[in-house]
Amino acid sequence: MSTFTILLGGDLIRTPRLDRQVEGSRVIAADAGIGYARLLGLVPELWVGDFDSVPANLPDDLAAVPRRTFPAEKDKTDGELAIAAALERGATSLVLAGAFGGKRADHAFLHLALALRLAEAGTRMLLSSGAQEGVPLLHGKAGFDYADGTLFSVLGFSDLSGLTVTGAKWPLDHVKVAFGSSLTISNEVRGHLEITLGHGRALLLAHPYPLPES
């Protein structure tokens, strides 16, 4: 498996869990995401974007990262271009660091939708801000290693059916969930979390490191 970390421009904090998830991965930065390289102790092999939001006072090793420059008026975001570059280089697993929050809610939503599409095509996907992380739910059963009390939600991107959740404060047994329903929001891990999805598109959003203000 070839894992790439994509440094995006959303919110990001460093945690031991995120350190483990990016350890040994190859790294590509998307425009302003280069600012997180020093935070995580990483040096990207490539820096992609239109470079309209380059952080000031970059250290020499980061300023020297090879660039792939695109025009400001383009058909893809800098993040999607960085992901495409990773796939070109053989990525089979992607960690999207800085995928949530930030100044652009439209970009954050795109990262969720793009992660689902790529997961369905066979790429292993993880989205993370350090404090929270997202994992696409494919059809079948998946297990997760979150500690007891971890807050999580299942975000449906369509009507869902055959949804079973075990190892949770509020388990579900082969239920249907209408698109836009809040039934699967704000659950808590109790034991070993397992989720089975029969039909539909969904993403698990978990909060392994809740921020103090939350």
Side-chain angles (χ1 to χ4, degrees):
M1 180 178 295
S2 180
T3 300
F4 278 71
T5 295
I6 309 297
L7 299 178
L8 301 170
D11 298 332
L12 193 68
I13 63 170
R14 185 172 184 175
T15 66
R17 182 179 179 89
L18 182 57
D19 282 346
R20 293 193 299 271
Q21 291 165 338
V22 304
E23 184 178 7
S25 68
R26 297 168 67 179
V27 183
I28 295 177
D31 209 333
I34 193 82
Y36 289 131
R38 183 64 71 221
L39 173 69
L40 298 179
L42 303 172
V43 177
E45 64 185 65
L46 181 66
W47 188 6
V48 172
D50 53 27
F51 303 102
D52 63 351
S53 52
V54 175
N57 301 317
L58 280 178
D60 291 344
D61 58 341
L62 296 182
V65 169
R67 301 187 185 195
R68 185 179 294 179
T69 304
F70 293 85
E73 295 183 357
K74 54 189 183 300
D75 294 332
K76 295 182 180 180
T77 65
D78 295 330
E80 188 173 5
L81 291 168
I83 289 169
L87 295 174
E88 288 172 7
R89 295 175 180 224
T92 57
S93 176
L94 293 173
V95 179
L96 306 187
F100 306 122
K103 298 178 180 179
R104 295 290 301 270
D106 51 350
H107 285 206
F109 180 83
L110 172 67
H111 298 149
L112 298 176
L114 185 57
L116 282 171
R117 178 168 67 81
L118 292 172
E120 290 172 347
T123 302
R124 185 176 178 180
M125 300 296 301
L126 173 68
L127 303 90
S128 181
S129 69
Q132 58 184 332
E133 59 187 44
V135 181
L137 296 172
L138 302 179
H139 298 164
K141 181 186 287 187
F144 302 90
D145 64 347
Y146 299 118
D148 275 8
T150 299
L151 178 69
F152 74 92
S153 297
V154 175
L155 305 180
F157 284 72
S158 69
D159 291 340
L160 308 179
S161 63
L163 178 65
T164 296
V165 178
T166 60
K169 183 176 182 179
W170 292 287
L172 297 172
D173 184 15
H174 204 72
V175 301
K176 293 182 178 180
V177 183
F179 177 57
S181 170
S182 62
L183 175 67
T184 54
I185 301 297
S186 296
N187 208 335
E188 293 181 17
V189 175
R190 293 288 187 271
H192 178 61
L193 177 64
E194 290 188 337
I195 300 176
T196 302
L197 179 62
H199 298 281
R201 287 178 160 176
L203 183 140
L204 173 70
L205 185 64
H207 301 254
Y209 285 89
L211 296 173
E213 60 269 24
S214 65

